[in-house]
Amino acid sequence: NAGVTQTPKFQVLKTGQSMTLQCAQDMNHNSMYWYRQDPGMGLRLIYYSASEGTTDKGEVPNGYNVSRLNKREFSLRLESAAPSQTSVYFCASSQGSYSNQPQHFGDGTRLSIL
Amino acid sequence: AQKITQTQPGMFVQEKEAVTLDCTYDTSDPSYGLFWYKQPSSGEMIFLIYQGSYDQQNATEGRYSLNFQKARKSANLVISASQLGDSAMYFCAFHPLTFTGNQFYFGTGTSLTVIP
């Protein structure tokens, strides 16, 4: 009963380093999402993938890239990490357009950039 | 553009009392869904309740109910008989039920503290 699995759960990087956050879902969902959560700002959408083979920018895409590797997996890459990217990152999935089903979230990745 | 507003950054409620968390939205889409999520201090996002724009009845799930007023574009969450475990952040989310409606739009959240 995994749902949405994110790795890693915690990470500390130095400014300028790169890393990839991994996300996988086992619910056969069409759409996947990456959010960041900062205090007082709720969830802000970084990128999303409406379906396999497509990706679109969200509200705060600068400094990030994504890859929808297949229907199950959606990764988020920081090419050159900056302290402003210190945040909690959530991956989520959903059935997609027209669906009245909720998003399912991973447990989050706490990322600190020094 | 869709906009979700939660105007209460923090709320306090006495244990066993009811509390209402406010959520308003702005949209021109005729068909949409509204969701509430709970985020306890442990950090996970827990889905609580859903309301569709064409639903005739207000949604209920156990102690959670939605006070949906479509004309006023509000979807307030009512928690009855509050428990200490209800202390958490609560987020309202809007999802257009359209062909291109893949995004979910979240409010900034309300922090609820239940007082013993």
Side-chain angles (χ1 to χ4, degrees), chain B residues 87-110:
Chain B
S87 293
M89 284 290 293
Y90 289 82
F91 293 96
C92 176
F94 172 95
H95 175 50
L97 298 178
T98 62
F99 178 71
T100 57
N102 293 291
Q103 293 194 45
F104 288 71
Y105 301 87
F106 284 82
T108 52
T110 295

Side-chain angles (χ1 to χ4, degrees), chain A residues 102-114:
Chain A
Q103 284 182 313
H104 294 257
F105 285 83
D107 289 338
T109 296
R110 290 187 177 274
L111 182 61
S112 294
I113 317 294
L114 305 177

Side-chain angles (χ1 to χ4, degrees), chain A residues 48-56 68 74:
Chain A
Y48 70 101
S49 171
S51 60
E52 187 179 356
T54 69
T55 60
D56 286 285
R68 183 76 182 267
F74 189 40

Side-chain angles (χ1 to χ4, degrees), chain A residues 31 33 35 37 40-43 45 48 50 57 90 94 96-107 110, chain B residues 35 37 39 41-45 47 50 89 91 95-109:
Chain A
S31 300
Y33 311 79
Y35 295 92
Q37 184 178 28
M41 303 192 76
L43 289 164
L45 183 65
Y48 70 101
K57 295 179 180 179
F90 285 97
S94 76
S97 59
Y98 288 122
S99 174
N100 61 1
Q101 297 301 303
Q103 284 182 313
H104 294 257
F105 285 83
D107 289 338
R110 290 187 177 274
Chain B
F35 301 81
Y37 290 84
Q39 186 179 41
S41 58
S42 50
E44 70 270 30
M45 294 287 286
F47 164 68
Y50 166 82
M89 284 290 293
F91 293 96
H95 175 50
L97 298 178
T98 62
F99 178 71
T100 57
N102 293 291
Q103 293 194 45
F104 288 71
Y105 301 87
F106 284 82
T108 52

Side-chain angles (χ1 to χ4, degrees), chain B residues 1-103:
Chain B
Q2 326 291 358
K3 185 175 180 180
I4 307 298
T5 303
Q6 294 181 255
T7 58
Q8 306 153 313
M11 291 281 286
F12 293 86
V13 64
Q14 204 74 37
E15 193 177 8
K16 300 180 185 176
E17 297 292 314
V19 63
T20 298
L21 307 183
D22 294 343
C23 173
T24 59
Y25 57 94
D26 186 15
T27 185
S28 56
D29 288 317
S31 181
Y32 51 87
L34 295 152
F35 301 81
W36 277 91
Y37 290 84
K38 172 184 179 182
Q39 186 179 41
S41 58
S42 50
E44 70 270 30
M45 294 287 286
I46 302 167
F47 164 68
L48 295 178
I49 194 168
Y50 166 82
Q51 179 81 47
S53 58
Y54 289 114
D55 292 344
Q56 296 297 312
Q57 308 261 359
N58 284 346
T60 60
E61 287 287 347
R63 293 187 299 111
Y64 304 109
S65 61
L66 236 158
N67 182 3
F68 179 50
Q69 298 186 48
K70 191 172 181 178
R72 298 182 62 183
K73 295 186 178 177
S74 73
N76 299 337
L77 178 70
V78 180
I79 305 175
S80 63
S82 296
Q83 302 172 355
L84 296 178
D86 293 333
S87 293
M89 284 290 293
Y90 289 82
F91 293 96
C92 176
F94 172 95
H95 175 50
L97 298 178
T98 62
F99 178 71
T100 57
N102 293 291
Q103 293 194 45

